[in-house]
Amino acid sequence: MQLYSVFAIYVLFWVTAAFIVLPIGIRSHHETGAKMIEGQDEGAPANFRPWRILLLTTLLATAAFGLFYLNYVYGWIDMDTIDFFHSRERMKDV
């Protein structure tokens, strides 16, 4: 696998992990009892911590990409493993 491909796939894992991590631990002003600023949206988070989100996203993306790359190298799961629709036809040919 080329280095550009590795980087592009890691970025896809990172963005997906960011969407998974973003809602974790977020509390609104109503939940925390914090005072709202005039004009502020009621759904705005009161405890947004971007560095924590970046760290958790990077950890999750790195772990998921590591499993993906190990599967790529060692071939634990391949297309024949997840082929649910043509497996019976192949079994007849064998």
Side-chain angles (χ1 to χ4, degrees):
M1 188 181 308
Q2 293 183 354
L3 186 59
Y4 291 119
S5 299
V6 170
F7 179 72
I9 293 170
Y10 180 78
V11 168
L12 290 174
F13 273 96
W14 197 91
V15 170
T16 303
F19 281 107
I20 293 170
V21 169
L22 271 172
I24 296 174
I26 297 294
R27 303 284 180 253
S28 69
H29 291 305
H30 295 293
E31 293 172 331
T32 61
K35 185 176 179 181
M36 291 183 58
I37 300 171
E38 184 177 335
Q40 184 176 7
D41 186 66
E42 293 182 7
N47 63 339
F48 182 68
R49 295 176 287 190
W51 294 113
R52 181 175 181 261
I53 290 172
L54 288 173
L55 176 67
L56 289 175
T57 299
T58 303
L59 290 173
L60 179 61
T62 303
F65 179 78
L67 288 173
F68 169 80
Y69 190 76
L70 287 173
N71 183 57
Y72 175 78
V73 170
Y74 294 111
W76 297 323
I77 301 172
D78 57 357
M79 290 304 293
D80 291 331
T81 306
I82 58 174
D83 186 12
F84 299 118
F85 300 108
H86 297 97
S87 60
R88 291 189 180 137
E89 292 175 14
R90 288 189 187 146
M91 293 299 282
K92 291 178 185 176
D93 294 337
V94 175

